[in-house]
Amino acid sequence: MSVISNLSASKQTRGDSAPGKTAGPHASFQAAKRDLKKDGKPILAARNVFKSYHKGKLEVPVLRGVDFSISPGEFTAVIGQSGSGKSTLLHLLGTLDAPDQGEIHFEGRRIDNLPAGQRDTIRNQKLGMIFQFYHLLPELSTLENVLTPLMISSGVFSYWRNKRQFVERAKKLIDMVGLSHRLTHKPRELSGGEMQRAAIARALIAEPKLLLADEPTGNLDRKTGGEIMKLLSDLNQSGLTIVMVTHDMSLAQLAHQTVSLVEGVVEAA
Ligand code: ADP
Ligand code: MG
């Protein structure tokens, strides 16, 4: 639980995690930017990645040779116009889809060509994902939504054997994202910001090495978006590597690295 325990510890010492209490959502982000030390070995890399979609006989090229790498602990912003392929790229990085050509490497190992079962395991155990529209299950409470990755990855017997410990872990995370007063609420009873907090807790429950975020503040007002950014920034400072798609240049400029997609390739900074 390194990221989670680091975050809880830093929350206590800094005492600044309450929304709106700091110099602004960007303050700790800038600190993170200064502090990052690159150790040379990427945690994630895209190598000459191509991806097209097909509509009948028409081929729509989206990615045409995308190349970049991400160091452990880095906060990377992926930017580009609507339709430039940001979500497509994030899906490829998250093994939800496979490139037509090129390679994705994670922790020193090629992952895009693994059998589906092995890709599922990597996705469930090593990656966390959050989305613009949260993708929470509407019939489940906050606590149940946060527990779903463990239900899926453990199997029924193991889940029930370990349930008490899993629930404890989920409650800790829900507390960390500031939602402990909404444990039994269903998504429709939560605000947008609260739904994204629940989705972040769910993304972290399996202790991922990498968080992939697709426009996580895209459906939130500025203040609420700032609070979510503060949470992501705190997680990054606690050691979590984050790749975030965003439209918002003011957020992108504060990341360690910006990957700008233009006409299917990464535009030089
Ligand atoms: P972004 O996230 O940057 O807005 P996307 O990656 O969602 O862009 O989409 C890139 C392009 O690919 C768009 O032109 C979109 O219409 C097209 N596209 C995305 N998904 C599909 C799909 N499943 N089938 C066909 N075309 C798609
Ligand atoms: Mg998109």
Side-chain angles (χ1 to χ4, degrees):
M1 279 238 184
S2 61
V3 166
I4 299 162
S5 42
N6 283 350
L7 182 60
S8 314
S10 67
K11 251 174 113 167
Q12 276 160 16
T13 47
R14 285 206 313 273
D16 65 1
S17 274
K21 205 177 162 189
T22 59
H26 301 158
S28 58
F29 220 31
Q30 284 164 330
K33 194 169 181 171
R34 281 196 303 275
D35 291 347
L36 184 78
K37 291 183 192 75
K38 292 210 176 204
D39 78 349
K41 280 202 189 121
I43 183 171
L44 181 74
R47 296 282 173 247
N48 203 25
V49 165
F50 284 73
K51 181 74 185 176
S52 299
Y53 292 110
H54 298 271
K55 218 163 175 44
K57 284 189 180 156
L58 186 71
E59 184 180 346
V60 183
V62 178
L63 306 178
R64 313 175 196 215
V66 167
D67 252 301
F68 63 92
S69 57
I70 290 169
S71 300
E74 202 162 30
F75 199 131
T76 300
V78 177
I79 58 168
Q81 289 186 341
S82 179
S84 60
K86 303 181 296 297
S87 295
T88 300
L89 177 61
L90 213 70
H91 288 161
L92 298 181
L93 298 177
T95 73
L96 290 170
D97 202 354
D100 300 331
Q101 266 185 68
E103 301 179 359
I104 310 286
H105 291 246
F106 177 67
E107 293 187 319
R109 171 185 183 208
R110 184 171 175 191
I111 59 166
D112 60 277
N113 62 349
L114 293 174
Q118 286 185 42
R119 293 204 320 248
D120 290 347
T121 304
I122 290 174
R123 192 179 328 113
N124 291 334
Q125 297 182 355
K126 305 268 187 154
L127 309 179
M129 292 196 189
I130 57 172
F131 305 92
Q132 181 174 357
F133 295 106
Y134 327 118
H135 295 192
L136 297 169
L137 293 171
E139 294 309 319
L140 300 186
S141 68
T142 298
L143 179 61
E144 290 162 341
N145 263 293
V146 172
L147 284 165
T148 48
L150 297 180
M151 289 180 193
I152 293 164
S153 64
S154 310
V156 177
F157 291 115
S158 171
Y159 179 77
W160 283 102
R161 225 179 13 253
N162 293 301
K163 191 169 178 210
R164 188 193 293 260
Q165 178 206 334
F166 287 168
V167 166
E168 206 173 293
R169 194 199 301 179
K171 283 183 174 171
K172 255 193 204 160
L173 269 171
I174 290 168
D175 184 41
M176 185 200 82
V177 299
L179 265 195
S180 41
H181 57 310
R182 296 284 186 268
L183 271 186
T184 59
H185 286 57
K186 303 267 172 74
R188 66 173 173 279
E189 298 162 339
L190 300 175
S191 69
E194 287 172 338
M195 282 193 273
Q196 196 58 290
R197 287 171 189 273
I200 291 170
R202 179 182 58 183
L204 297 177
I205 190 86
E207 299 166 24
K209 295 284 174 57
L210 175 68
L211 181 70
L212 301 172
D214 195 350
E215 310 231 23
T217 63
N219 203 40
L220 302 174
D221 62 72
R222 203 158 179 81
K223 178 171 175 290
T224 310
E227 289 166 9
I228 294 298
M229 281 309 302
K230 175 76 172 73
L231 184 54
L232 294 179
S233 169
D234 285 349
L235 286 166
N236 174 246
Q237 284 197 294
S238 305
L240 186 65
T241 310
I242 299 181
V243 180
M244 180 184 73
V245 166
T246 181
H247 262 102
D248 187 335
M249 284 307 294
S250 69
L251 296 179
Q253 280 166 3
L254 296 163
H256 299 116
Q257 167 178 231
T258 303
V259 170
S260 173
L261 286 181
V262 180
E263 297 186 357
V265 295
V266 178
E267 192 182 57

